[in-house]
Amino acid sequence: MISDQRTRHTLHRLGNLTTAARNDAWSRVKNAEALKQQAIHARDRVLADLPAYLARLETATRAHDVAVLHAGDAQEANRLVIQTMRGLGVTDALRNHHPLLDEIQLDRAAKANAIQLTPLHPGDYLAQLADERPGHPIWPVGHLTVEAISATLQQKWRIPETYNPDHLTSTVRMPLRRALLRTHTAILGVTFAAVEEGVFVLLDNDGHNASLTSLARHVILLLSIEQIAADIDDLDALIQVFALSAWGRPLPAYVTHLQRPAPREIDGPRTIHLILVDNRRTKIIEEGFGQALRCIQCGACHSVCPVYQQIGGRGYANSPYTGPIGAVINPLLLRPDLGEAQAALCAGSGGCQDACPVAIPIPDLIHAQRIRLAQTHPPNDDKRYFSVWRRLISRPRFFRSYIRRSYRK
Ligand code: SF4
């Protein structure tokens, strides 16, 4: 549990505000249930036949002069990014806000290869300054209090003491604006891709993706292989559902589309490289946990989870995925060693499943994880004691003689 009460209060407040906004926005949608069903269908449709959809996406994308690369795991994804940058002759880049980039630890790989990578999203930038990890898919530093942000900026940049949120925000944005104007290369996690049309979509609430795709001469896209829609109709449904559940608004403030390079236009990238990242996703489907990959990373389940509100993003062992869906995905995708600890991060309230716009049965998946762990791990001491206790309690005569003998010792 987070020991600092102010941080717990901030998380709680963020959860209440975002839940209220989301409920209000969904209550205004005329055919809310039909829209959710369309989104669920859109996700299940591609997950049921992922290799075929990916092959079609690759064909459509290549036809638009986009170079397509495949990464089996995080190391390969990083290697391909670095290799592509070296091929372009660049040593610095800006990146957008996207959980896939945190999943593959791109920042760390860039640093190890002497590449300067700057996150353009102010929340991610602030997280880096404060030596924190993003704690939420939409609000990466939603857990930081104004006092904590002010203290970080005073310490790192020696700014005068201020607790004015507008002041603090513009202070953080200033160097990012300068970096944006110098930008040459952008590394972008893709929110969704539409297979038939070979279109890539980036959603955000502050316009950083639109700025990057307009100003960068070279764009390297990273796409989790499951974040695809069969066609533009399914894509539209997913965009609406994402905006409603992530920000509590009918549409995102910014929807950035990318389809092909624009070598002769004033703005837009000259080259586009696409890296399709698997990183165990195919295995997750094979292991029967494919429903977890319906997730669109809207963060709605975080806002209603009583455990997340007590432990915040750090409680998920510094994993990139947090909240209820993080407890399911992290052991499957990244760190099997976290299985036991993450499966315990559920109080069984069931609020996450109700909040999830694509109806992921999160409590059932956590329960299935627990069963899998019980089957694959040797019984620990607790289980052995419990089994002895159960045998004794069901035989009163044995029980009495056992207790008598134990006391005589
Ligand atoms: S599990 Fe559902 S509610 Fe949670 S982030 Fe994913 S899509 Fe959103």
Side-chain angles (χ1 to χ4, degrees):
M1 187 163 102
I2 298 169
S3 54
D4 169 24
Q5 206 180 340
R6 283 284 328 259
T7 305
R8 283 210 312 276
H9 176 74
T10 306
L11 268 174
H12 197 69
R13 199 159 161 263
L14 176 71
N16 287 346
L17 285 172
T18 51
T19 302
R22 194 185 69 237
N23 290 344
D24 181 52
W26 271 107
S27 72
R28 292 165 199 269
V29 178
K30 277 205 185 107
N31 296 316
E33 215 30 62
L35 179 60
K36 284 184 187 172
Q37 287 305 322
Q38 196 184 346
I40 294 167
H41 174 70
R43 301 300 296 126
D44 286 350
R45 194 175 163 192
V46 291
L47 288 170
D49 200 4
L50 200 48
Y53 280 104
L54 285 171
R56 277 157 59 191
L57 175 67
E58 185 167 347
T59 309
T61 307
R62 284 191 197 280
H64 296 144
D65 295 328
V66 173
V68 183
L69 304 160
H70 294 264
D73 57 25
Q75 286 78 8
E76 199 176 3
N78 286 322
R79 187 174 55 70
L80 291 172
V81 171
I82 309 289
Q83 204 171 291
T84 306
M85 288 188 69
R86 291 206 173 120
L88 295 168
V90 291
T91 53
D92 65 302
L94 289 176
R95 73 165 176 86
N96 72 342
H97 169 72
H98 197 282
L100 179 61
L101 308 188
D102 297 324
E103 176 189 321
I104 62 170
Q105 300 194 22
L106 182 65
D107 293 357
R108 196 202 277 187
K111 199 170 173 191
N113 285 278
I115 283 173
Q116 194 186 338
L117 186 60
T118 309
L120 189 61
H121 189 281
D124 287 338
Y125 190 58
L126 204 48
Q128 260 189 13
L129 277 180
D131 289 327
E132 292 266 349
R133 285 192 73 119
H136 189 282
I138 305 297
W139 317 103
V141 286
H143 60 288
L144 290 186
T145 59
V146 170
E147 290 80 7
I149 294 170
S150 176
T152 300
L153 295 180
Q154 285 174 55
Q155 191 202 343
K156 302 275 171 166
W157 291 348
R158 309 219 171 282
I159 65 157
E161 186 176 340
T162 173
Y163 300 102
N164 179 327
D166 291 340
H167 222 104
L168 292 168
T169 311
S170 51
T171 305
V172 173
R173 281 189 195 277
M174 199 62 81
L176 296 177
R177 291 288 165 229
R178 282 197 290 267
L180 180 61
L181 293 175
R182 288 194 307 270
T183 193
H184 183 270
T185 305
I187 302 177
L188 307 171
V190 176
T191 315
F192 302 118
V195 169
E196 285 311 315
E197 296 77 6
V199 170
F200 302 94
V201 168
L202 303 106
L203 308 179
D204 66 77
N205 218 13
D206 67 346
H208 74 285
N209 285 307
S211 308
L212 283 168
T213 51
S214 302
L215 293 173
R217 300 290 83 178
H218 304 286
V219 161
I220 302 172
L221 300 175
L222 285 116
L223 173 69
S224 320
I225 54 168
E226 85 285 10
Q227 294 299 346
I228 57 177
D231 52 35
I232 217 87
D233 290 337
D234 280 2
L235 179 68
D236 280 350
L238 291 174
I239 291 174
Q240 278 184 67
V241 163
F242 187 94
L244 287 159
S245 289
W247 296 297
R249 29 185 327 155
L251 283 173
Y254 293 87
V255 182
T256 307
H257 289 84
L258 265 183
Q259 193 178 39
R260 58 176 79 238
R264 278 176 284 281
E265 303 296 327
I266 294 171
D267 61 2
R270 304 270 190 272
T271 66
I272 303 179
H273 289 75
L274 168 70
I275 303 175
L276 294 165
V277 184
D278 185 317
N279 207 20
R280 275 193 61 81
R281 285 165 170 81
T282 309
K283 265 240 151 342
I284 290 178
I285 296 173
E286 283 167 16
E287 287 168 4
F289 285 89
Q291 277 174 317
L293 296 183
R294 269 190 205 158
C295 179
I296 54 171
Q297 290 297 324
C298 69
C301 55
H302 294 58
S303 309
V304 294
C305 175
V307 176
Y308 176 78
Q309 291 190 357
Q310 293 295 319
I311 64 174
R314 275 200 210 155
Y316 296 81
N318 281 332
S319 301
Y321 297 102
T322 55
I325 192 64
V328 176
I329 283 185
N330 289 324
L332 294 169
L333 197 64
L334 305 163
R335 296 186 44 193
D337 60 303
L338 289 180
E340 210 158 341
Q342 303 263 306
L345 299 177
C346 175
S349 74
C352 51
Q353 186 167 340
D354 298 339
C356 179
V358 286
I360 299 177
I362 300 174
D364 291 352
L365 291 173
I366 291 179
H367 185 64
Q369 288 263 46
R370 288 175 178 164
I371 290 175
R372 201 167 78 133
L373 279 166
Q375 285 164 349
T376 53
H377 282 57
N380 58 24
D381 284 349
D382 285 355
K383 285 181 194 148
R384 263 199 294 273
Y385 289 137
F386 189 68
S387 135
V388 170
W389 172 257
R390 207 171 39 199
R391 263 183 259 157
L392 283 170
I393 204 83
S394 58
R395 297 174 180 83
R397 277 182 51 207
F398 274 125
F399 180 73
R400 275 193 293 271
S401 78
Y402 174 80
I403 294 290
R404 262 198 300 271
R405 266 185 285 131
S406 304
Y407 274 103
R408 255 183 242 135
K409 278 180 192 168

